[in-house]
Amino acid sequence: MRDTIISEANSFIRFLKSCQDDSKDFWTYQDNIRILKQSNQPILSIIEGNQVVFICEETPPKHEEEVAVNTEENSLNEEVSVKLEPFDIGPLPLTIHRARQLLSWYTMSQNPNMPQVEAHVLPPLWVRCDMSDPAGVSWLGAETVYAGSKATAVKLYTVCCKGATTDESSFMTMEQLKQEHQNRHSSSAVGTKGWAEYNLFCSVKEESLVIDSQSSVTAFFRWVNVDKVLETPPLSSTVTLHIKVTVGDIRSPLYQTYRELEFLLTLADGLRTGEIEWLEPLETQSAVELTRMLIEDLDKVANAVPGQNLKGSENQKAKTDSVLGYGTMLMERGDLDFTEQLWERMRKSVTSYQDITDSLKLVIKAVRFGQIKPWVHRASSSSLSKLIVQSYQQQVDTVPLTGLTPAIMLLELGLDKMRKDYINYLVGKELTTLNHLSYYLSSDVDLQEQVIRLKKLHHLLEILGTCSSFLNLPHERLFFFTQSCLQYYKAAPYNEDHVFEMQFKPALISHFYQTEQPMSWGVEVSSGQGSREVKTSFHLSDKPLVDHITFDSDLPLEVTVSAENEKAAYFRTMVCCSLANFT
């Protein structure tokens, strides 16, 4: 019997060692155990951090089946065999007995007093369990403790879970959690730490803002000396804001600017692929008509009698201003030059390459023959702006408006205009300087790269819009946050899934979270120091921290979780740790 156990342990440990040196996603041991290397399991990330661990689970069954179906094309009586594709049923647990067996082999290999079993330095081992025991164990884990390079002990973890409930009397109390810890560890000196996560978007009550969105703003609190379960984080907590913003969210104060960017991106994609799907026009008049009206208005201004009231121009300016000002984050500019006004009209009306070509022909003809002498910003870098500057000296280069040239010229106008919009906001609000924006404003790189950098800048503005308009954060915090975001996007690719982080004092957002219920709440009781520190923790979460078990809900069918003042339903998870010494 003893020899059999040692042989089985050696076989398993050798297999783990081979997995450790392999780059595959998973491996199968003895046909029924699948082994993975991961670091992203919810509960394990709380315990182990970002450390890679071995995970053992049951190998999923194969679902490849062949069924016979009739083929109408050949004959009603003829049948062919069709193979059904396997489907993902998710991770599967092992029995408690099997899990304990795997952990015992792992522990034997780490024990220097058992030379019969091969010793290897291995990542922690975790096994999914089926909760078939009275305690409802969903995970068992083992992690080796080292003193230098010598293994001195192993930490044995037990994770127990229960389904969701709104009954707070079923939650473990702080006294019970401390007693559970002291039953395992004879230490009189224990410390407590708490943490909680709040979804700040959920604290917005306006009905117009209750929509599906991939954007999220969550606040993660940490504090010491926890008095009771589910207590509100004290103002002495440390808090980190996690911000993930998806552009195009209708809640964003920059939604209208996004619509402008959307047309620019459509144009850029068309130049890159050679094919474009035009957006629905926002104007009823054609691009050519709007361009002709702009030229005529400019001509009227140039030939106007002093004191004449040009109502058409004033009305147009009022219309432009009303479009640019919205929400609580104003991007309004009163200094739009001719090319920017042209862009504003064309982006709302262009539906074909021919529209662009015909409109630019009208402009270049009017400039070449001196019908208009519009002003443009000195820093403008578009081809059309350069032609207009040339017209001041009666020298205008010939531009063949063929092929993709008109679309390129229009894209240049959009890049110029939107960059100035962003400069106007960021520098005007004293959130950064032109020097810090040089990477994003450079026109020395090719057009597609300029578009990517403009997208990054827009994403940054969306994030700042959320922080300033939704959270109403003070200027000092926004200033430092802007610098960190600008620095991040200089090296990183465009990524709307990236979570930006900001730290500040809880008092700045106390009105958001103090009357709300957290998404998750946790507390740990700990004793010991360094690698020999042991913890017992209790977690409440609105989603299960275990993904291989389907929980029965304790909630009655009539409960409406989203109702005003309704108590949140929480899944309950407890993590216990025992320290087994080798010496």
Side-chain angles (χ1 to χ4, degrees), residues 101-118:
Q101 185 180 50
L102 297 177
L103 288 177
S104 68
W105 292 342
Y106 176 91
T107 303
M108 290 165 61
S109 75
Q110 303 301 292
N111 190 344
N113 301 317
M114 295 199 66
Q116 305 94 325
V117 181
E118 295 182 16

Side-chain angles (χ1 to χ4, degrees), residues 2-33:
R2 179 175 179 274
D3 291 342
T4 301
I5 293 174
I6 291 174
S7 175
E8 290 175 338
N10 278 321
S11 175
F12 179 65
I13 296 305
R14 290 190 201 105
F15 189 82
L16 282 184
K17 180 59 180 174
S18 68
C19 297
Q20 186 179 15
D21 300 331
D22 199 346
S23 59
K24 290 196 303 184
D25 294 332
F26 65 88
W27 306 265
T28 301
Y29 181 71
Q30 292 184 348
D31 295 332
N32 66 334
I33 298 177

Side-chain angles (χ1 to χ4, degrees), residues 106 144 333 440 500-501 564:
Y106 176 91
T144 308
R333 281 174 52 212
Y440 299 93
F500 291 86
E501 296 185 357
E564 188 83 15

Side-chain angles (χ1 to χ4, degrees), residues 126-147:
W126 284 83
V127 186
R128 298 182 188 272
C129 302
D130 60 7
M131 294 181 63
S132 58
D133 64 316
V137 174
S138 58
W139 283 97
L140 288 176
E143 178 183 10
T144 308
V145 176
Y146 292 93

